[in-house]
Amino acid sequence: MPVSSDVTRPDDGDGGLPVNELFYSLQGEGSLGGVPSVFVRTSGCNLRCWFCDSYHTSWEPTHAWMDVADVVDAVVDYDRADHVVVTGGEPLLHEPVVDLLHELGERGYHTTVETNGTIHRDAPIDLLSVSPKLANSTPTPERDPTGRGEWADRHERARIDLETLSELVADYDHQLKFVVTDESDVDEVEALLQRLRDVAWVPIHDETVLLMPEGATRERLAETRDRVAELAMAHGYRYTPRLHVDLWNDAPET
Ligand SMILES: C[S@@+](CC[C@H](N)C(=O)[O-])C[C@H]1O[C@@H](n2cnc3c(N)ncnc32)[C@H](O)[C@@H]1O
Ligand SMILES: Nc1nc2[nH]cc(C(=O)O)c2c(=O)[nH]1
Ligand code: SF4
Ligand SMILES: [Mg+2]
């Protein structure tokens, strides 16, 4: 499907979404893990996590432009699913995602939006799955997959926006899903939750906080998952596996 790397729409149309992939799978992460779902993956991101498991939406965006109506038709074609996961890249970068969520809601779909928590939009979203990025995500020159380190400062400045996060948790049923590798990451989660609780005008319950092991491949997950499970137990947070990686490793459209 991918035919372009420009995430600004060319002149030949307005609206529409840069779609990297659209597929049917099982929700692999979070509180709806295991639920058959159609995934709509938009292209383009305002961050550049060094570990991004969707490289072709962030570091090297590729996609085809699709009108919202065509995305809806493609979703409806998967007639076994009543859940839709809108992800990316960063799906909330794109204004037409709001239309898409209205169209899906009107058709009775349960919608989850996977977001990095730096952008707020008003839209009918059943579950906002927020994954605020910790310092462990920053593409330092040593970790940057391109080796250039050009995104480190911009990523570092943008990755946490407390005001936006507090609006998101107030406006939506949510989960907070942190990518973790070690104890210091959990210390950072706790410090962030403290700051968020200080400014948010709704309670943030520990049951909505999930620790997810970092790992885009089975091999890497085998190195991180035991420790992250232990950390979840020690701190009283939920652990979420990455079922899709267990099942299909890093294959596309899974
Ligand atoms: C590719 S992101 C797209 C949505 C949004 N940009 C975000 O980061 O939440 C989807 C989910 O994958 C997680 N993720 C990305 N790369 C990962 C990795 N290597 N290990 C574990 N989780 C990862 C993100 O934290 C997020 O929860
Ligand atoms: N099966 C499966 N479950 C997922 N949950 C969140 C995903 C994402 O990339 O946002 C994802 C994904 O890429 N595949
Ligand atoms: S915010 Fe999400 S899509 Fe963007 S680089 Fe990080 S993991 Fe990838
Ligand atoms: Mg994924």
Side-chain angles (χ1 to χ4, degrees), residues 54-213:
S54 303
Y55 186 87
H56 288 285
T57 68
S58 52
W59 290 98
E60 253 183 58
T62 47
H63 44 266
W65 285 93
M66 287 178 77
D67 291 330
V68 166
D70 295 332
V71 175
V72 173
D73 286 349
V75 168
V76 170
D77 278 347
Y78 293 103
D79 55 2
R80 306 307 292 261
D82 52 19
H83 283 60
V84 179
V85 181
V86 180
T87 184
E90 179 43 56
L92 296 181
L93 272 178
H94 311 290
E95 213 260 323
V97 157
V98 175
D99 290 346
L100 173 64
L101 290 161
H102 277 284
E103 296 293 335
L104 294 172
E106 279 165 18
R107 285 166 180 74
Y109 286 101
H110 177 287
T111 55
T112 299
V113 171
E114 304 280 348
T115 177
N116 61 29
T118 62
I119 299 168
H120 183 289
R121 288 193 190 269
D122 287 318
I125 296 168
D126 294 302
L127 174 64
L128 193 73
S129 176
V130 190
S131 183
K133 293 301 177 290
L134 303 174
N136 66 9
S137 65
T138 300
T140 55
E142 308 77 60
R143 292 183 135 174
D144 176 337
T146 72
R148 295 194 294 269
E150 285 164 345
W151 267 81
D153 287 349
R154 185 169 165 191
H155 177 97
E156 193 51 34
R157 278 196 305 275
R159 68 184 171 78
I160 297 294
D161 176 343
L162 267 190
E163 200 175 320
T164 300
L165 276 178
S166 62
E167 285 170 10
L168 291 171
V169 295
D171 289 352
Y172 295 106
D173 284 342
H174 59 270
Q175 61 189 11
L176 297 170
K177 191 172 52 148
F178 294 96
V179 177
V180 169
T181 50
D182 61 27
E183 177 95 49
S184 67
D185 299 336
V186 185
D187 294 342
E188 200 182 327
V189 168
E190 306 223 286
L192 176 62
L193 287 172
Q194 184 61 56
R195 288 166 65 209
L196 189 54
R197 283 173 171 141
D198 287 345
V199 295
W201 54 97
V202 294
I204 294 160
H205 302 290
D206 277 359
E207 308 86 78
T208 64
V209 178
L210 288 77
L211 305 188
M212 178 162 72

Side-chain angles (χ1 to χ4, degrees), residues 21 23 25-30 39 41 53-54 85-88 114 129 177 242-245 248 254:
E21 52 182 9
F23 58 96
S25 185
L26 301 176
Q27 171 57 284
E29 306 170 13
F39 289 78
R41 189 183 305 285
D53 65 5
S54 303
V85 181
V86 180
T87 184
E114 304 280 348
S129 176
K177 191 172 52 148
R242 287 171 56 73
L243 292 176
H244 50 114
V245 180
W248 302 295
T254 59

Side-chain angles (χ1 to χ4, degrees), residues 45 47-49 52 58 89 116 133:
C45 189
L47 299 182
R48 288 291 183 282
C49 305
C52 183
S58 52
N116 61 29
K133 293 301 177 290

